[in-house]
Structures are given as C-alpha cells and as structure tokens.
C-alpha cells in the first residue's frame, strides 16, 4: 500500500498539540479560492515550472517520452492528459526549474520518517498530523498507516474539511486522537462561492463526530471578502455554539501560497489581498468570546 505524499514537515507546532510531524497527502474535493496549498488539490503527481530558473535547454522536453512537455512562447507547458507520472524530465533539469509535487511512499517509509522524532513528541506531548489537501483523501492508505503509527504509541491528529462520504468519514474519524475540523462558512450558498462545495455534508459529518464524543477542535480560516466580517463571525459562533462545541481556533488569512500558483501556471484569485494578523481580528474574536467560546489563534 502506497500513498501519494507531497510533503512531510518536521517540527510543526501549528498542526495540533506539541511538536509534530505533519504528513501532507495529495487530493482535495474543495477548490477554495484562497488555498495555500494548490499543489495539494490534484490527486496525481504534478509538475511545477519556475520560468525564472529555466535556461530553455529543453532537456526536459526530450526526456519526456509521453510527449506531455512542450516548449511554447518561451516557457515549458505541461499537458496533463498525456503526463504518465514519469519524472525523468525532472531529474534531468540542470537548474531545477522543473520540480514535482507528490511521490508515492509506502506505509513503512512514512512511519520510518515519523519515528525519527519520537523523543520530541514524548517530551512535548506531540505526535503525527495528517494533512493535505484533505487529510482523508486517501482512505485505504490511512487505514493501514494510522494503526501502525498508534502501535508505536504516537498521538495522531488529522486536518479535515469534513467533505467526505459519510461512511468513509465514520471509518476514518474514529482512528484519530484529534480531529482538526475546518469550518469555513455557516451559510451553504456562500460556502459554495468560496470553496465550490456546499456545507451540508460537512455539518452532518461534524454533528456525527460530536455525537460520538470524538476529540474535535473546530478551526476557522478567516478570509477577506468571504467570512471576515463581524456578521460572519456571529453566524459561525452561533453554529459552533449550537453544535455544543466549546472552543475554536482562528486561522488568519496569509499569502504564503501565492508563489505556488505561478509555478502551477494557475491564476491566484487573492493576489494583492492584504494578509490578516491576530491584531486585526480582536473584534472578530470577541464575538466568539461573548458566546462563551474559548477562541484563540
């Protein structure tokens, strides 16, 4: 069993308690306009092209036997309908202008990396966090990976949008010690405008997890022009309070993913939108505090 992994980040301190290793899986059913990891959305291996590094030697084009790469208008163009996942084109690039996102790793390979920092997890009450994309995007892989991690006494968390088939969600959610559950909007139509999916399935899965008394931390990415108004805060606070949850984490919008859109030759909808910081959101946070919710950044 192998999973398509696009990053394993050590010493993470924002993806759950303590010092953690975060394993990023490819694939996500949402298309959030502000997504900081656009390379995570596609379930397949992708090629990233940095035009600033390219010397136009076209070695990659020659190495790509599937014919997926062409040199047009002074840049490399990828035709993913032809791309077969062969990375010879990446390996031969002399300036690393062409790189890949995603590589298939076995359960044993992932566990080996995670165990390297076991002492740090024990000292800080940390562990392993599965992320993405959507953390539950590769269910068969997770069903094998998580029991092995837990057999070593490792705390496991998952970052999820909750937009997963109900039966799959129920099978996977119970495997984890902590669900880091994204709540992006209380209004389903507005949720669709920002993410391209409605939120009914998300709320249904969250409600089920609460009924099962699973350990859940709801997290709200606060996004300008989407859910950053005080009216939005009130709607979200009401939703969380009515569900019976007692705490919530706010994730201020940032621009750390902007460069990736350029490398993927994709348009970034939030270009030049100002990042948010905790000091910008004190009134927003107060709305949650006034509902007796433990709200923090």
């Amino acid at each position: 069993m192998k999973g398509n992994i696009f990053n394993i980040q050590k010493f993470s301190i924002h993806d759950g308690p303590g010092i953690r290793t975060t394993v990023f899986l490819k694939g996500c059913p949402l298309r959030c306009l502000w997504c900081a990891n656009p390379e995570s959305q596609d379930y397949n291996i992708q090629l990233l092209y940095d035009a600033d590094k390219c010397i136009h030697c076209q070695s990659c084009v020659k190495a790509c036997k599937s014919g997926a790469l062409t040199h047009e208008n002074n840049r490399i163009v990828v035709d993913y309908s032809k791309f077969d996942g062969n990375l010879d084109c990446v390996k031969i690039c002399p300036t690393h202008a062409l790189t890949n996102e995603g590589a298939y790793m076995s359960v044993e390979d992932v566990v080996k990396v995670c165990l390297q920092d076991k002492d740090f997890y024990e000292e800080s009450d940390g562990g392993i966090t599965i992320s993405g994309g959507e953390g539950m995007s590769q269910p068969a892989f997770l069903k094998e990976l998580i029991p092995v991690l837990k057999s070593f006494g490792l705390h496991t968390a998952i970052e999820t949008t909750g937009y997963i088939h109900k039966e799959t969600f129920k099978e996977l959610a119970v495997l984890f010690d902590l669900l880091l559950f994204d709540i992006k909007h209380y209004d389903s139509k507005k949720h669709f405008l920002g993410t391209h999916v409605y939120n009914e399935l998300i709320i249904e899965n969250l409600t089920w997890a609460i009924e099962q008394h699973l350990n859940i931390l709801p997290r709200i990415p606060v996004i300008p022009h989407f859910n950053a108004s005080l009216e939005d805060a009130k709607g979200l606070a009401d939703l969380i309070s009515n569900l019976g949850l007692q705490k919530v984490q706010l994730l201020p919008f940032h621009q750390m993913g902007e460069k990736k859109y350029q490398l993927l030759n994709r348009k970034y909808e939030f270009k030049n939108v100002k990042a948010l910081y905790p000091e910008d959101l004190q009134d927003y946070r107060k709305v949650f505090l006034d509902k007796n919710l433990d709200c923090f950044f």
Side-chain angles (χ1 to χ4, degrees):
M1 175 61 65
K2 291 188 175 183
N4 192 354
I5 313 296
F6 73 92
N7 191 18
I8 298 181
Q9 181 178 300
K10 293 187 171 189
F11 294 95
S12 297
I13 57 172
H14 301 295
D15 301 326
I19 295 172
R20 311 188 69 81
T21 293
T22 303
V23 181
F24 292 85
L25 274 59
K26 288 272 279 172
C28 185
L30 276 63
R31 292 295 179 267
C32 301
L33 299 179
W34 61 88
C35 181
N37 291 325
E39 76 279 22
S40 73
Q41 295 176 358
D42 197 297
Y43 287 79
N44 302 302
I45 294 173
Q46 290 175 286
L47 299 180
L48 276 65
Y49 172 65
D50 190 337
D52 294 334
K53 293 182 179 179
C54 185
I55 58 174
H56 307 284
C57 65
Q58 300 190 47
S59 297
C60 58
V61 175
K62 298 169 187 172
C64 183
K65 294 182 173 54
S66 66
L69 300 187
T70 55
H71 188 260
E72 303 174 15
N73 299 320
N74 214 34
R75 66 175 291 118
I76 298 298
V77 177
V78 184
D79 182 350
Y80 280 105
S81 67
K82 297 180 180 179
F83 181 58
D84 59 5
N86 187 295
L87 297 177
D88 287 345
C89 53
V90 172
K91 297 172 184 175
I92 203 170
C93 180
T95 61
H96 305 291
L98 201 64
T99 57
N100 62 288
E101 285 292 352
Y104 286 99
M105 297 180 67
S106 68
V107 168
E108 292 76 14
D109 289 338
V110 174
V111 171
K112 183 177 180 180
V113 175
C114 292
L115 286 176
Q116 291 170 356
D117 294 324
K118 191 171 188 289
D119 290 345
F120 293 105
Y121 313 146
E122 292 174 349
E123 291 175 8
S124 67
D125 293 325
I128 311 302
T129 298
I130 304 299
S131 187
E134 164 54 54
M136 296 186 181
S137 63
Q138 300 177 46
F141 182 68
L142 287 184
K143 288 176 189 177
E144 290 201 12
L145 173 65
I146 301 307
V148 178
L149 291 173
K150 295 185 78 67
S151 73
F152 288 96
L154 300 180
H155 180 278
T156 58
I158 187 166
E159 294 184 328
T160 180
T161 66
Y163 193 79
I164 301 294
H165 187 278
K166 286 183 286 186
E167 293 308 313
T168 301
F169 180 85
K170 291 176 181 179
E171 285 185 273
L172 295 179
V174 296
L175 298 178
F176 292 89
D177 299 304
L178 173 63
L179 303 181
L180 301 169
F181 202 111
D182 276 7
I183 300 177
K184 295 180 169 66
H185 213 292
Y186 62 93
D187 182 282
S188 188
K189 291 182 179 179
K190 291 180 180 178
H191 192 282
F192 181 86
L193 293 176
T195 68
H196 292 177
V197 304
Y198 296 101
N199 73 357
E200 283 83 2
L201 176 60
I202 294 169
I203 301 302
E204 187 172 350
N205 281 334
L206 177 57
T207 301
W208 179 87
I210 294 169
E211 291 171 347
Q212 304 307 304
H213 305 291
L214 301 184
N215 187 16
I216 304 164
L217 174 61
R219 305 199 302 175
I220 299 172
V222 185
I223 310 299
H225 317 306
F226 174 68
N227 66 358
S229 72
L230 295 183
E231 180 183 351
D232 293 325
K234 184 179 183 305
L236 287 161
D238 286 343
L239 172 62
I240 291 170
S241 181
N242 292 339
L243 286 169
L245 295 166
Q246 297 178 335
K247 64 171 60 175
V248 60
Q249 183 178 11
L250 303 181
L251 306 175
F253 169 75
H254 60 74
Q255 287 284 12
M256 288 186 284
E258 182 175 4
K259 174 70 174 179
K260 298 175 185 178
Y261 287 84
Q262 178 183 333
L263 300 179
L264 289 166
N265 195 29
R266 287 179 51 183
K267 181 182 178 182
Y268 180 46
E269 300 290 345
F270 275 67
K271 186 177 179 62
N272 299 322
V273 175
K274 183 182 176 182
L276 295 175
Y277 299 91
E279 53 266 32
D280 300 319
L281 295 172
Q282 292 307 312
D283 290 341
Y284 193 97
R285 176 174 179 252
K286 187 175 183 300
V287 174
F288 292 86
L289 296 176
D290 289 344
K291 293 285 290 187
N292 295 316
L293 292 168
D294 178 8
C295 181
F296 62 97
F297 294 100

